[in-house]
Amino acid sequence: MAMYSRLPGSVALITLQNPPVNALSAAVRQGIVDTVQRALKDPKVTSVVICGQNGKFCGGADIREFAGPMLGPPLVPMIHAIEAVDKPVAAAIEGVALGGGLELALGCHYRIAHSKALLGLPEVTLGLLPGAGGSQRLPRLIGLTAALDLITTGRHISAAEALKLGILDQVTDNNVVDQAVEFVRRVAGQPLDSRRLSTLPCPCPPDVDSLLDKAMVKGMEKERDLLTTLFNSGQARALQYAFFSQRVVGKWSLPSGASWDNSAARTISKAAVIGLGTMGRGIVVALALTGISVVAVETQEKQLAEASQAVPAMLQREAGRRSLATPPGVISFSSNLQDVSEVELVIEAVFEDMSLKLQVFRHLTSVCRPGTLLCSNTSGLDIDQLAAVTQSPGLVVGMHFFAPAHVMKLLEVVYGPRSSPEAVATAMQLGKRMGKVSVAVGNCPGFVGNRMLKPYLEQANFLLEEGATPQQVDEALEEFGFPMGVFRMSDLSGLDVGWRIRKEAGLTGPGVESTRTRQGRRYSPLPDQVCEAGRLGQKTGRGWYQYDGPGGRVARSDPWVHIFLEAYRAEHGLVARSIAPEEILERCLYALINEGFNILQDAMAAGPEDIDAIYVFGYGWPRHHGGPMFHAGQVGLGRILERLQHHHHNHPDVPHLKPSTLLRRLVAVGSPPVQTWREFINKERVHS
Ligand code: 3HC
Ligand code: NAI
């Protein structure tokens, strides 16, 4: 786990060995303690270099160990002991030095890095703090202001920035270990006191009062106490779970047995996007930024002209934000579908209208070369129906991006019953290349994310009928941690989107009776009536809130809405009651979670991690609550079940509140931890 070698001459080389990122597991820590001792004792050794195997110095503490009891030598004394060594020790940093990895390097007397290395203290993103001396050594090395920036943001910095800040002693484009060996040979025998960071005063700005100095003296103890508190907090567990769920979803598997490790992906270099509205434009930009050449097709002349102005500007802006000198992919605009004949993959993003999409897919299958992958960005229509009109249904999948598509991290890759493993693998890999978190989901109305959103939105509307205001509902959800409550969010997306879907489903529109029960279940006509009043959200300057004008961003309470709600309640004989924030959260979130259990039961998502990644990356679910399914586990499945039963009892005409069978089954077997649900579900499926 840490290999010791004596290089010709007097340098001992310690190589961390724990693939893939040389995380500081118990065995690695033990290895470091042993090899450092060996170097100390060997009289022929005058200096030491610590490096990592396979081009990665160290990705930090081993996050997988956090859930269990602490084994092996602790990190803090280990790093202290390195700092105290009386032979110069240098860290040779290649790849990454993150978290505990950087803390280890800060315990060394010198730090030499490769120019492509990334450094940082990302503990905050896991609900922790740099608890192995990082919060203490870094400010002493580079000053409070710069250290606080790195510690509180958790951002990764380049070797060049680290050199400028004073974290590194040298940066090289050559072999970093050779460079570090040469470096320590040169400094061997020089005094080390000024290199022991924990013993140095902190270079504070003159205006920082003496209290801070005193605090720094006690810093190591304080750091330990705070870390212990954080380790035991629910937020840290949730953030660490979110870190792993993001990676678990990459290891996708389908009910057919196809999976990430047995399905080959094609590498795409030429693609086309059909329809250059809100979504199409963002998708073109995201593809071009990945180095893919794009044929961008739009049939409406005005839209095409607008898009050919807007897309290059968006691309430049985004390339600048990502510090890319020039966007790598080339874009050509066209009004002719014939121009997509040479591409390897097409993403259709025309209006959400099945007959139009069918027409486009029929056309595509006749124009494209055989073997071209045909993808749809539909938000919830049946992928199988689209596949059915093509010559190769196996090559059809959904690629459901989220708005704005060049910014949002989530991509749902929707497989239909006929989608081939190759098509799924290609879409998943393409998403990854585009920097997305790609999640494979089954083909059902709304897929995973929007399917779960439906009961959530529905509850929010029912709460308005029963006496809540849009502000009260939004405040409860924002207090929970969503960046925007459901009504503010709906105003931003446009209220007409859902209205159109409800019209298509025959739930509203001319000839549909204005009752509160439709298609055999409770229905709230409130959002339809808001749309009928011409209030479509931010774009019309009015929706559930009022804005300064069309396109305005700042939501203000609107007396019209309050009068409208009162009139509505009076018309339907509803008596407004006062609704506590707890009820708002339970009704909205537990209904959504319940649908998550139904989705797992229907095998539309492979595991709870998939659902949680979708919600964290696509729907603003607060990362420090892990995701809806993780949150259910934190609250307690028994409690979720009991509250759903309670609310379903009060609202028997709302099927979404009826507890899912899977939830009941999990409670019946003692509410096992979320990490074991996938296995439980698979076993149940085999037995049923
Ligand atoms: N502990 C355990 N496993 C880790 C890990 C860590 N610190 N860092 C990465 N891994 C695992 C991943 O889970 C993944 O496992 P898998 O192959 O089974 O899915 C594998 O290593 C590869 O990781 P990525 O897919 O993320 O690989 P990339 O090359 O894209 O990224 C990375 C590498 C930049 C190092 C990224 O993995 C990362 O950001 N890791 C976390 C770094 C971090 O937050 N470190 C701080 C830990 S907390 C700490 O040190 C506390 C201390 O202060 C006391
Ligand atoms: P939009 O209305 O902004 O753009 C659709 C574009 O397609 C228009 O420019 C239209 O002229 C063009 N178009 C129509 N028929 C065409 C044809 N035959 N050939 C070429 N272009 C044609 O729609 P938006 O919002 O971009 O949505 C597109 C798709 O993406 C829909 O399926 C929608 O459900 C889905 N989606 C939308 C999201 C959103 O937030 N807007 C989020 C995720 C998916």
Side-chain angles (χ1 to χ4, degrees):
M1 285 297 179
M3 191 175 75
Y4 183 86
S5 44
R6 261 273 307 282
L7 301 183
S10 53
V11 181
L13 181 67
I14 296 173
T15 309
L16 311 186
Q17 295 181 318
N18 183 15
V21 302
N22 300 319
L24 296 162
S25 62
V28 172
R29 297 195 305 275
Q30 188 64 56
I32 296 176
V33 168
D34 295 345
T35 48
V36 168
Q37 272 301 320
R38 200 165 151 192
L40 252 183
K41 283 198 191 127
D42 186 340
K44 293 212 182 86
V45 167
T46 57
S47 46
V48 183
V49 168
I50 303 181
C51 67
Q53 186 193 36
N54 291 339
K56 293 234 163 72
F57 178 68
C58 177
D62 192 330
I63 305 168
R64 289 180 205 278
E65 286 186 351
F66 291 173
M70 168 80 188
L71 301 169
L75 203 50
V76 175
M78 181 196 92
I79 294 176
H80 258 322
I82 293 173
E83 191 184 64
V85 168
D86 56 6
K87 303 174 182 183
V89 184
I93 300 170
E94 226 181 330
V96 287
L98 296 173
L102 180 55
E103 292 175 301
L104 168 64
L106 290 170
C108 298
H109 306 120
Y110 300 97
R111 287 157 293 280
I112 323 293
H114 190 268
S115 53
K116 295 224 169 85
L118 291 175
L119 293 85
L121 292 175
E123 283 84 347
V124 67
T125 63
L126 300 170
L128 301 174
L129 57 79
S135 79
Q136 300 304 304
R137 288 194 177 90
L138 193 62
R140 288 172 158 92
L141 180 62
I142 63 172
L144 260 185
T145 317
L148 270 176
D149 169 48
L150 294 188
I151 292 169
T152 55
T153 61
R155 70 190 176 93
H156 297 180
I157 58 169
S158 66
E161 186 175 352
L163 182 69
K164 210 157 126 204
L165 286 172
I167 298 175
L168 296 173
D169 297 288
Q170 207 179 80
V171 172
T172 178
D173 289 324
N174 302 323
N175 183 310
V176 71
V177 175
D178 292 350
Q179 207 72 25
V181 167
E182 197 185 310
F183 189 99
V184 283
R185 277 205 185 111
R186 223 175 33 242
V187 296
Q190 291 182 12
L192 289 170
D193 281 352
S194 66
R195 310 298 310 181
R196 297 194 170 101
L197 299 180
S198 73
T199 65
L200 303 182
C202 180
C204 291
D207 53 338
V208 174
D209 55 32
S210 61
L211 260 180
L212 200 49
D213 282 334
K214 283 191 200 134
M216 293 299 284
V217 175
K218 304 282 280 171
M220 280 286 181
E221 283 165 41
K222 190 73 191 159
E223 185 193 74
R224 190 196 55 217
D225 292 348
L226 288 172
L227 187 64
T228 309
T229 310
L230 289 172
F231 254 126
N232 296 320
S233 79
Q235 291 201 357
R237 289 211 186 103
L239 290 168
Q240 287 154 28
Y241 167 86
F243 173 84
F244 284 117
S245 59
Q246 181 178 348
R247 283 151 182 87
V248 166
V249 299
K251 299 189 171 155
W252 56 273
S253 60
L254 310 187
S256 64
S259 64
W260 66 282
D261 54 354
N262 64 18
S263 312
R266 288 193 214 160
T267 302
I268 302 297
S269 57
K270 276 186 281 175
V273 175
I274 316 296
L276 301 179
T278 314
M279 293 307 291
R281 294 178 193 193
I283 298 170
V284 172
V285 171
L287 286 166
L289 285 167
T290 314
I292 294 170
S293 304
V294 193
V295 182
V297 181
E298 165 65 55
T299 44
Q300 284 186 28
E301 218 174 287
K302 186 163 163 277
Q303 279 285 75
L304 181 63
E306 265 178 37
S308 45
Q309 294 285 312
V311 169
M314 281 163 72
L315 185 60
Q316 277 306 335
R317 247 194 332 269
E318 195 56 25
R321 219 174 55 84
R322 299 186 194 184
S323 310
L324 297 172
T326 44
V330 179
I331 304 172
S332 60
F333 293 90
S334 167
S335 59
N336 190 348
L337 209 62
Q338 215 68 30
D339 289 342
V340 307
S341 59
E342 291 304 310
V343 305
E344 299 146 327
L345 176 142
V346 181
I347 302 174
E348 164 280 309
V350 303
F351 302 126
E352 187 77 341
D353 172 334
M354 187 45 114
S355 54
L356 173 63
K357 286 190 194 280
L358 286 172
Q359 190 188 318
V360 171
F361 269 71
R362 273 192 205 102
H363 200 156
L364 285 173
T365 198
S366 68
V367 167
C368 295
R369 287 187 310 201
T372 307
L373 254 75
L374 301 181
C375 311
S376 173
N377 183 47
T378 173
S379 322
L381 297 177
D382 185 357
I383 295 297
D384 196 34
Q385 229 178 304
L386 296 176
V389 299
T390 67
Q391 282 156 18
S392 310
L395 294 178
V396 176
V397 288
M399 285 186 81
H400 182 208
F401 292 85
F402 289 73
H406 58 301
V407 177
M408 290 292 286
K409 291 273 283 180
L410 178 65
L411 173 68
E412 282 185 328
V413 171
V414 190
Y415 59 89
R418 287 186 275 182
S419 305
S420 65
E422 186 190 23
V424 177
T426 304
M428 290 293 286
Q429 196 210 52
L430 178 58
K432 191 167 180 198
R433 277 173 67 200
M434 292 163 96
K436 308 288 178 203
V437 175
S438 314
V439 186
V441 299
N443 181 34
C444 57
F447 313 133
V448 169
N450 287 345
R451 175 168 159 185
M452 287 168 72
L453 203 61
K454 203 170 155 197
Y456 169 81
L457 292 171
E458 187 183 78
Q459 286 301 318
N461 292 327
F462 294 160
L463 287 163
L464 296 191
E465 293 187 336
E466 292 165 37
T469 63
Q471 289 90 314
Q472 282 168 344
V473 175
D474 282 352
E475 272 161 25
L477 294 166
E478 285 160 21
E479 185 60 31
F480 177 75
F482 279 99
M484 253 187 222
V486 48
F487 292 107
R488 252 186 258 274
M489 190 64 220
S490 304
D491 272 0
L492 173 67
S493 321
L495 303 184
D496 49 331
V497 181
W499 192 29
R500 208 174 309 128
I501 294 171
R502 292 191 298 275
K503 278 191 214 161
E504 279 201 20
L507 281 164
T508 186
V512 180
E513 218 185 313
S514 183
T515 54
R516 290 180 48 247
T517 302
R518 296 188 197 176
Q519 300 180 357
R521 50 172 69 186
R522 180 171 168 189
Y523 180 85
S524 172
L526 274 173
D528 301 333
Q529 293 181 5
V530 171
C531 289
E532 282 156 18
R535 305 173 65 104
L536 304 182
Q538 286 189 2
K539 61 180 150 190
T540 55
R542 297 211 178 324
W544 294 109
Y545 294 90
Q546 57 178 322
Y547 301 85
D548 283 339
R553 294 260 178 252
V554 183
R556 276 178 291 112
S557 166
D558 189 342
W560 182 94
V561 173
H562 300 282
I563 296 166
F564 160 72
L565 287 175
E566 273 167 31
Y568 174 90
R569 291 183 198 119
E571 183 195 338
H572 293 281
L574 297 163
V575 180
R577 63 185 173 91
S578 152
I579 301 178
E582 294 74 37
E583 180 178 345
I584 295 174
L585 284 186
E586 281 186 5
R587 297 264 301 271
C588 293
L589 301 188
Y590 295 3
L592 176 146
I593 287 169
N594 195 37
E595 194 59 21
F597 282 111
N598 287 331
I599 284 171
L600 288 175
Q601 195 174 300
D602 299 350
M604 291 295 136
E609 295 87 354
D610 300 67
I611 294 179
D612 288 339
I614 287 173
Y615 262 80
V616 167
F617 290 102
Y619 292 84
W621 183 279
R623 200 176 161 89
H624 63 269
H625 285 304
M629 309 321 285
F630 179 86
H631 182 64
Q634 294 278 79
V635 171
L637 298 188
R639 163 114 188 129
I640 302 267
L641 176 59
E642 184 258 309
R643 297 313 292 160
L644 278 169
Q645 281 167 332
H646 167 83
H647 294 302
H648 191 226
H649 176 80
N650 289 345
H651 307 277
D653 51 353
V654 182
H656 283 128
L657 290 173
K658 181 168 181 238
S660 127
T661 309
L662 175 62
L663 171 60
R664 287 179 188 281
R665 290 283 306 124
L666 284 165
V667 172
V669 297
S671 303
V674 65
Q675 288 82 358
T676 64
W677 295 359
R678 187 183 293 254
E679 202 185 327
F680 176 83
I681 297 163
N682 289 340
K683 271 197 196 138
E684 292 256 304
R685 199 163 291 135
V686 171
H687 291 133
S688 66

